[in-house]
Amino acid sequence: MKNFITVGPCFAAALLFGAAAPALATPAAPAACQFRADAPDRHVVVRGDTLWDIAGKFLQQPWCWPTVWDMNRDDIANPHWIYPDQVIWFDRAAGRLRIGDNTAAGNAPGVATERRSPAVRSSAVDAAAIPSIAPAAIEPFLSQPLIIENDELASAPRIVATEDGHVFIGQGDKAYVRGDLGGATTFQVYRPGKPLQDPDSGQVLAHEAYYLGTVTVQARAGAGSDVHTVRAASTREEMGKGDQLIALAPAPAQNYVPHAPATRIAAKVLSVHGGVTYAGRNQIVSINRGKLDGLDIGSVLRLYHAGKTVRDSTAPTGWFGREQQVRLPDEQVGSLFIFRVFGRVSYGLIMQATAPVVVGDTATSPE
């Protein structure tokens, strides 16, 4: 890999890129990646580290660590990793982070670095790899249909009846479903929730969904019938008539590489997960931009409070003695890591927050 010096296993991360950016989208400007004034000389990787946290020890903007490792999109698309007990050191002369010891820079004696090529590794070794972000924070959001787009809402199979006419069913109970199952055998069951409305256009972009559990197909509709028989395999909440189904897809196994979006993004926070008013570090929010707007998995955005409009009592008054109004600058309050992308909506994990994030805050491409 280009300019990528390492000892032991090579490092990078798997990245699932989203759809191609719209043809008329404005390319995003490259972001500056600056080291902290108090950056250490080295860091020994330990179990429980994340790449974001490690990078935060060295960089003012932790998300831009692929830049200081001289990684391009070809590099970061390959499944290489970094492991516990490796040493990350700051090559101050080159302005780069390295893996290994600092012999290459002549700063001190140590184990010589060497260039390694991609290699096939066992799943047991890969399981020890250091993730980009803490996986526990986002795992439920990778496998559950927490956002349902309008086309899915209209065409999804639905429960039309329950065994013995029960109002709700629990684990092991039967239900009867109408709609096209599309060949799938296991489904997640959800109940449509509140619409997610674009604050700019007023358009309903998608709906939040209440995840209820899973069902498996027991018998498909026979001749002369369009009703399938399913059985509840797991339940988080009771399921009933009118609840809808979506085919269960395997959860993606990937390590997310942070990067600036390929296009300029200007989004707003639509909702805070859990129905609360405020969100802080390691909480989830949805925004009103998705893959059709040029966002992909791993994109990093900056979060801002909109600047307030205040009266300028120091300026001359206008007609009828009215004081002039001025708008204060937007205030940056955190950073957002996009980990799941839909057509017009995305989920992001708040990585840093200096003030509570609220619905209506803006999320923009880093400068």
Side-chain angles (χ1 to χ4, degrees), residues 203-347:
Q203 177 186 3
V204 174
L205 303 176
H207 286 73
E208 288 190 322
Y210 298 106
Y211 174 71
L212 306 178
T214 61
V215 297
T216 57
V217 177
Q218 296 294 294
R220 294 185 178 272
S225 173
D226 57 357
V227 177
H228 315 277
T229 302
V230 300
R231 189 178 297 274
S234 65
T235 54
R236 173 175 292 181
E237 297 184 25
E238 293 177 318
M239 310 171 193
K241 186 176 179 180
D243 292 335
Q244 296 184 281
L245 279 61
I246 188 170
L248 177 63
Q254 58 188 4
N255 203 357
Y256 304 92
V257 175
H259 58 276
T263 61
R264 293 187 183 276
I265 299 296
K268 289 186 178 178
V269 174
L270 290 175
S271 67
V272 177
H273 180 67
V276 296
T277 303
Y278 302 104
R281 188 174 185 267
N282 288 334
Q283 288 187 273
I284 307 294
V285 299
S286 62
I287 62 171
N288 64 332
R289 296 292 184 268
K291 67 179 66 173
L292 297 178
D293 305 292
L295 273 181
D296 60 357
I297 292 173
S299 293
V300 176
L301 304 174
R302 289 181 176 175
L303 292 164
Y304 291 87
H305 284 331
K308 296 180 180 179
T309 299
V310 298
R311 294 178 178 179
D312 182 4
S313 60
T314 67
T317 57
W319 293 101
F320 306 109
R322 292 179 180 174
E323 293 181 334
Q324 295 184 26
Q325 304 285 314
V326 294
R327 187 177 182 275
L328 301 181
D330 293 348
E331 295 290 339
Q332 184 178 349
V333 295
S335 57
L336 187 68
F337 189 97
I338 302 300
F339 65 87
R340 191 171 182 188
V341 180
F342 303 86
R344 291 293 187 188
V345 177
S346 297
Y347 271 130

Side-chain angles (χ1 to χ4, degrees), residues 32-57:
C33 196
Q34 298 179 340
F35 285 93
R36 294 169 55 114
D38 60 349
D41 293 326
R42 65 200 295 271
H43 173 79
V44 179
V45 180
V46 298
R47 195 172 303 278
D49 273 347
T50 66
L51 292 174
W52 188 286
D53 291 338
I54 293 172
K57 297 177 181 294

Side-chain angles (χ1 to χ4, degrees), residues 1-366:
M1 289 187 295
K2 178 183 177 183
N3 296 328
F4 184 39
I5 300 174
T6 183
V7 64
C10 290
F11 154 67
L15 174 64
L16 177 62
F17 293 105
L24 298 179
T26 304
C33 196
Q34 298 179 340
F35 285 93
R36 294 169 55 114
D38 60 349
D41 293 326
R42 65 200 295 271
H43 173 79
V44 179
V45 180
V46 298
R47 195 172 303 278
D49 273 347
T50 66
L51 292 174
W52 188 286
D53 291 338
I54 293 172
K57 297 177 181 294
F58 295 93
L59 300 166
Q60 292 183 11
Q61 304 292 338
W63 66 267
C64 67
W65 53 257
T67 302
V68 298
W69 252 293
D70 288 334
M71 298 170 69
N72 57 40
R73 286 223 165 187
D74 289 335
D75 294 332
I76 64 180
N78 294 323
H80 311 291
W81 309 95
I82 184 172
Y83 294 85
D85 299 325
Q86 288 185 310
V87 178
I88 296 176
W89 59 276
F90 182 7
D91 183 350
R92 296 179 185 272
R96 290 289 181 264
L97 297 180
R98 313 288 190 191
I99 301 177
D101 213 320
N102 56 357
T103 301
N107 293 338
V111 179
T113 58
E114 59 178 299
R115 187 182 299 274
R116 291 289 185 91
S117 299
V120 176
R121 309 199 60 81
S122 71
S123 58
V125 173
D126 285 344
I130 298 301
S132 292
I133 59 176
I138 64 172
E139 281 172 351
F141 297 84
L142 302 178
S143 59
Q144 298 173 10
L146 299 173
I147 286 182
I148 301 296
E149 298 185 280
N150 295 336
D151 55 345
E152 293 178 310
L153 191 69
S155 60
R158 63 191 183 279
I159 296 175
V160 296
T162 59
E163 189 175 30
D164 298 329
H166 294 160
V167 176
F168 295 109
I169 62 170
Q171 186 170 347
D173 293 340
K174 284 184 181 179
Y176 304 96
V177 171
R178 187 177 184 183
D180 183 8
L181 300 184
T185 59
T186 304
F187 293 82
Q188 294 177 319
V189 183
Y190 66 91
R191 187 170 298 146
K194 71 174 185 179
L196 295 175
Q197 191 172 31
D198 190 309
D200 298 324
S201 67
Q203 177 186 3
V204 174
L205 303 176
H207 286 73
E208 288 190 322
Y210 298 106
Y211 174 71
L212 306 178
T214 61
V215 297
T216 57
V217 177
Q218 296 294 294
R220 294 185 178 272
S225 173
D226 57 357
V227 177
H228 315 277
T229 302
V230 300
R231 189 178 297 274
S234 65
T235 54
R236 173 175 292 181
E237 297 184 25
E238 293 177 318
M239 310 171 193
K241 186 176 179 180
D243 292 335
Q244 296 184 281
L245 279 61
I246 188 170
L248 177 63
Q254 58 188 4
N255 203 357
Y256 304 92
V257 175
H259 58 276
T263 61
R264 293 187 183 276
I265 299 296
K268 289 186 178 178
V269 174
L270 290 175
S271 67
V272 177
H273 180 67
V276 296
T277 303
Y278 302 104
R281 188 174 185 267
N282 288 334
Q283 288 187 273
I284 307 294
V285 299
S286 62
I287 62 171
N288 64 332
R289 296 292 184 268
K291 67 179 66 173
L292 297 178
D293 305 292
L295 273 181
D296 60 357
I297 292 173
S299 293
V300 176
L301 304 174
R302 289 181 176 175
L303 292 164
Y304 291 87
H305 284 331
K308 296 180 180 179
T309 299
V310 298
R311 294 178 178 179
D312 182 4
S313 60
T314 67
T317 57
W319 293 101
F320 306 109
R322 292 179 180 174
E323 293 181 334
Q324 295 184 26
Q325 304 285 314
V326 294
R327 187 177 182 275
L328 301 181
D330 293 348
E331 295 290 339
Q332 184 178 349
V333 295
S335 57
L336 187 68
F337 189 97
I338 302 300
F339 65 87
R340 191 171 182 188
V341 180
F342 303 86
R344 291 293 187 188
V345 177
S346 297
Y347 271 130
L349 176 68
I350 299 174
M351 301 300 299
Q352 297 161 304
T354 57
V357 177
V358 299
V359 172
D361 281 351
T362 58
T364 63
S365 301

